[in-house]
Structure formats: structure tokens, C-alpha cells
Amino acid sequence: MSLAVTVLGSSGMFATTERAAAGYLLEIDGRRIWLDAGPGTWRNLLRLTDYKDLDGVILTHVHPDHTTDIFGCYHALAYGGPEPLPAIPLWAPAQVLERLCAYAGQVDIAFDLRPVAAGGTFSVGRAQVMLFEMAHPVETVGVRIDCNGSTFAYTADSGIEGDLLPLTKGAGLLMSEATLQQCDGPVFEGHMSAAQAAGVAREADVNRLVLTHLPPGRDLGVSLAEARAAAPDVHTTLAADGERYEI
Ligand SMILES: [Zn+2]
Ligand SMILES: [Zn+2]
């Protein structure tokens, strides 16, 4: 049983020429799961895998920088051949599923819509997926995956008040949002600075931290330096599109 994650997009809030918005390809016990579908991630996903081999999708919240590329996948699965392909599971908060259906009424041709909420769990193969409540202006779930003793944790978008410790405790790799830098001050609710993300990792005994949802147009060396200063013992790097991590 193996667990790996490839970054499909690491830009916060919108895609840039260098980075797609939020998205990841998970390899869980031989299955391929697309986690968040921000702008640009569909094309990056196709560079790595045939969409026909996707086994499911997880969307953490309704914000466009995490969801809008799902419609590329919808059209491919529903209309890419003479017959629609079998629907694959799409796990997301109910609000996300309602909005997707409002935008594209037949999205359930492609996806088996499965509403989830914080506190919920589901299985992917022999792995267990657990969801935690994040602190963000809309309902948002953090995602923890336990697979044969290996653990991956993803904050999605969250302020420091989210349920971060149970989400991340002892994870082999934490993919944490780091939208802010210290100079931003406390003006943006529902996001963390790189230093706060590093503090979470330290508190949760996580040794490998990858900073993502990075602020467009900023010197990201500042984010990395602030995180490393906050938690010198945590191995911290910046996410980059295409980077693959085994856990
Ligand atoms: Zn976001
Ligand atoms: Zn968001």
C-alpha cells in the first residue's frame, strides 16, 4: 500500500503563468484521486495521467480557486466518447455539490455526488480519509489520509483557528496553506501565514512541511524564511507544480 501526492497547482487565489491554483493528484493504495480542482490543474493532471484512470475527486470547499477546473473533467467523462464513462465518486461539502449542479445540471452524469462534512470519514481502497473543520469564510474541510501507517494532511484554506492539530498530528507530510506573510498582519481572515503553518507543523510533531496556496506576485523566499525561522527543526519547502512526494 503506498501513498503519494503530486502538486498540480500551488498558487493562492488565482493561477499565474508559473503556477496553477490549488490542486493535487493523490496516489492512494493504487488509486488516483484528484484533490481540489483550481484553475490550471486539469491540464497539469492530464500531463500525469489519463483522465479515464481517475478513481475519484475530493473538493474541500466552494471557492473558485479550488473548484472550477472540475468542469473540464465533467465534459471529458460525460462527452469525451460515444458513451459517458462510468461516474466516479466526487466527495465535497453539500454546498459545493449544490453549486456544481446549479452551474451544470448534468454534472451527475460524470460524478457520483457524495456529500461530506467535517467529522466524516470514507475509504479509498484500504486507506482511511478523515475530514476536519477549517476556519474559512465558507464550509471547508481539511483532509487527512491514513494509509498503512503513512499519513498525509492537507489544510485546504484555513485560518489558525481551524481544527488543525487533530488534522495534522504526526503526519508524515503536511501540505499547508501559507497565503500570508508576516507583513500582511491580521487583515485576511481564513488564511495562515507561512510562520503560522510552520508553528502548526511543530506543534503536531510533523517533520515534513510543504507550503502551498502561495501568494501570487510575492517574493516566496520571504515565506520560506519566515516558516523556517518559526520552526527550525521542521523540514520546510515551497510547493512547486509537478513536484511529487512519497509519504
Ligand atoms: Zn483558496
Ligand atoms: Zn478558499
Side-chain angles (χ1 to χ4, degrees), residues 152-236:
F152 168 72
Y154 170 54
T155 64
D157 287 3
S158 185
I160 194 69
E161 307 84 4
D163 217 356
L164 292 163
L165 197 56
L167 168 73
T168 59
K169 189 75 190 160
L173 188 145
L174 168 58
M175 185 72 68
S176 178
E177 81 124 286
T179 312
L180 307 177
Q181 297 179 341
Q182 274 163 350
C183 62
D184 291 317
V187 287
F188 291 100
E189 266 182 55
H191 290 291
M192 281 186 281
S193 68
Q196 285 175 317
V200 170
R202 189 190 56 223
E203 234 186 288
D205 293 321
V206 170
N207 293 319
R208 198 151 52 128
L209 169 65
V210 181
L211 303 174
T212 192
H213 207 271
L214 298 164
R218 292 290 186 83
D219 177 358
L220 298 179
V222 171
S223 298
L224 187 59
E226 289 179 352
R228 287 177 172 168
D233 294 336
V234 177
H235 179 73
T236 303

Side-chain angles (χ1 to χ4, degrees), residues 33-36 57-62 89-98 100 112-124 128-134 138-144 156:
I33 305 292
W34 186 11
L35 170 63
D36 275 345
V57 182
I58 302 170
L59 299 178
T60 59
H61 66 296
V62 76
L90 193 169
W91 296 276
Q95 181 187 36
V96 178
L97 302 179
E98 286 161 19
L100 296 184
D112 174 8
L113 303 174
R114 301 188 184 185
V116 295
T121 63
F122 58 90
S123 298
V124 173
Q128 183 83 351
V129 181
M130 284 180 274
L131 304 172
F132 294 86
E133 186 173 354
M134 299 293 98
V138 297
E139 181 183 0
T140 302
V141 291
V143 179
R144 177 185 176 102

Side-chain angles (χ1 to χ4, degrees), residues 11-14 22 61 63-66 136 156-157 177 179 191 213:
S11 180
M13 297 170 293
F14 58 92
H61 66 296
H63 281 158
D65 60 321
H66 296 250
H136 203 51
D157 287 3
E177 81 124 286
T179 312
H191 290 291
H213 207 271

